[in-house]
């Protein structure tokens, strides 16, 4: 994962595992497994068995996937050996041997790694935003499509809205630590944004820039066009329902027409091979 060099940390910050804090702050692998399962069944009418987690980091989704069904296999791909090693330690070693044997982690670039056919490929937490040029993005998407079964799907999430395009700081108190998401720059001409994750502790210590991001904030129409150019047959754009109070409910649907604009949103695209 894209770790930056943290400043000299003290006390609680020094003993904390940034990968553990990251996962507790931004990931929910069992929820992702249920999400993928539900939408795959809806579009394909069968149970998805083989999953690839691109930009897998610690491969938490791979582990949750093989745990969820004894027939399931998972392959995780990431450039960062440190994140993969943390994933082996945190998620693969605790698995029963029979489940561990169904996970393969590959250190490599998602644009070049040779792929076996899978039912589902996921690129979550906006990781493809690390690809800044359209030709790179299309090349990556083409590789994803070639690595899917004939009825395979590609699931990616998208971040957007006015508040994703400003310098901003969001804080979430998890009790033992505070998760801080800081957006430090956004260029409207290129949609390049810089952001970082920090963690703060009750003793005043902090892991500054535990993870840092240099992204291109791709828009939904740009992604849909790139997916079609890469050969995907159809792209479904999901959106999150809002409740009477106007707040997002966590429940996703595929809108038939326009949706109402929101200051900050996070949704999913599902592309059919
Ligand atoms: C935001 S983390 C995502 C971790 C996890 N999958 C999640 O959903 O939270 C992005 C990961 O992408 C990896 N990465 C960035 N560019 C990559 C590339 N071209 N090929 C493979 N991995 C890449 C980084 O090493 C990092 O671990």
């Amino acid at each position: 994962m894209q770790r930056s060099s943290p400043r000299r940390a003290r006390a609680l910050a020094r003993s904390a595992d940034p990968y553990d804090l990251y996962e507790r702050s931004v990931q929910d692998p069992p929820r992702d497994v249920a999400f993928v399962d539900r939408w795959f069944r809806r579009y394909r009418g069968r149970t998805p068995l083989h999953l690839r987690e691109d930009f897998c980091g610690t491969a938490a989704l791979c582990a949750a996937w093989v745990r969820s069904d004894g027939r399931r296999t998972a392959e995780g791909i990431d450039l960062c050996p440190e994140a993969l090693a943390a994933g082996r330690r945190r998620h693969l070693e605790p698995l029963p041997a029979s489940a561990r044997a169904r996970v393969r982690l590959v250190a490599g670039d998602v644009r070049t790694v040779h792929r076996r056919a899978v039912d589902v490929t996921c690129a979550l937490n906006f990781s493809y935003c690390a690809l800044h040029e359209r030709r790179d993005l299309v090349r990556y998407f083409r590789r994803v499509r070639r690595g899917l079964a004939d009825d395979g799907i590609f699931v990616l999430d998208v971040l957007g809205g006015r508040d994703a395009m400003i310098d901003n700081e969001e804080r979430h108190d998890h009790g033992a630590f505070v998760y801080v998401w800081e957006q430090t720059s956004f260029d409207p001409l290129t949609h390049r944004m810089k952001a970082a994750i920090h963690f703060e502790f009750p003793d005043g210590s902090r892991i500054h820039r535990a993870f840092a991001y240099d992204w291109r904030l791709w828009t939904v129409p740009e992604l849909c066009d790139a997916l079609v150019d890469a050969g995907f047959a159809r792209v479904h754009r999901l959106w999150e329902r809002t409740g009477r109070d106007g707040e997002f409910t966590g429940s996703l649907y595929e809108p038939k027409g326009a949706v109402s604009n929101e200051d900050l949103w996070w949704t999913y695209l599902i592309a059919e091979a």
Side-chain angles (χ1 to χ4, degrees):
M1 229 178 273
Q2 211 172 352
R3 299 277 323 275
S4 55
S5 316
R7 278 187 201 152
R8 202 172 154 71
R10 299 183 279 140
L12 288 171
R14 193 181 295 164
S15 60
D17 175 351
Y19 291 111
D20 174 48
L21 304 175
Y22 173 90
E23 290 173 5
R24 285 157 67 186
S25 302
V26 305
Q27 289 192 287
D28 187 349
R31 192 201 63 132
D32 292 338
V33 169
F35 173 82
V36 166
D37 191 67
R38 173 173 161 226
W39 287 92
F40 189 93
R41 283 171 197 276
R42 174 169 303 192
Y43 293 131
R44 301 314 204 190
R46 69 177 179 91
T47 306
L49 294 180
H50 307 296
L51 172 129
R52 176 172 298 111
E53 184 183 10
D54 276 347
F55 308 96
C56 68
T58 56
L61 177 59
C62 289
W65 183 258
V66 297
R67 263 188 205 282
S68 67
D69 186 317
R71 297 167 297 169
R72 285 183 161 162
T73 67
E75 178 178 76
I77 302 173
D78 201 285
L79 273 180
C80 176
E82 184 194 323
L84 292 173
R88 284 195 185 90
R89 186 182 71 246
R90 295 177 49 70
H91 301 298
L92 301 200
E93 282 167 21
L95 285 175
S98 60
R100 200 181 317 127
R102 290 183 275 112
V103 185
R104 189 170 87 109
L105 297 189
V106 181
D109 191 313
V110 294
R111 289 165 294 182
T112 54
V113 166
H114 180 71
R115 291 154 179 277
R116 299 180 191 154
V118 291
D119 297 323
V120 185
T121 291
C122 292
L124 298 182
N125 269 321
F126 328 113
S127 305
Y128 59 85
C129 291
L131 306 178
H132 301 154
E133 300 298 326
R134 188 178 192 277
R135 66 175 171 277
D136 256 356
L137 188 74
V138 173
R139 180 175 158 220
Y140 164 57
F141 286 170
R142 198 171 284 131
R143 214 147 175 115
V144 171
R145 190 185 58 79
R146 288 194 186 132
L148 287 172
D150 290 347
D151 66 347
I153 64 168
F154 177 36
V155 179
L156 56 163
D157 53 4
V158 193
L159 176 71
R162 186 191 63 186
D163 289 357
M165 301 180 193
I166 53 173
D167 294 0
N168 196 13
E169 187 180 281
E170 259 189 61
R171 305 170 66 82
H172 294 283
D173 192 342
H174 291 265
F177 66 95
V178 176
Y179 162 84
V180 184
W181 168 255
E182 187 187 16
Q183 294 167 195
T184 52
S185 70
F186 181 81
D187 178 350
L189 296 180
T190 60
H191 272 219
R192 286 285 286 277
M193 71 178 281
K194 294 218 167 117
I197 291 174
H198 320 291
F199 298 107
E200 294 174 357
F201 300 88
D203 65 355
S205 61
R206 169 180 170 100
I207 306 179
H208 185 71
R209 291 173 64 79
F211 300 98
Y213 303 96
D214 176 1
W215 280 348
R216 173 165 171 181
L217 197 66
W218 294 94
T219 66
V220 169
E222 284 173 330
L223 291 167
C224 291
D225 287 349
L227 287 161
V228 169
D229 285 359
F232 282 92
R234 190 177 310 164
V235 185
H236 302 275
R237 297 167 306 178
L238 307 190
W239 195 249
E240 195 174 333
R241 288 190 180 85
T242 43
R244 290 218 171 106
D245 56 3
E247 294 295 313
F248 283 124
T249 59
S251 156
L252 287 144
Y253 71 110
E254 187 172 355
K256 297 277 178 270
V259 295
S260 67
N261 198 11
E262 303 291 340
D263 292 344
L264 183 69
W265 50 262
W266 165 17
T267 195
Y268 291 85
L269 301 180
I270 299 182
E272 294 184 19

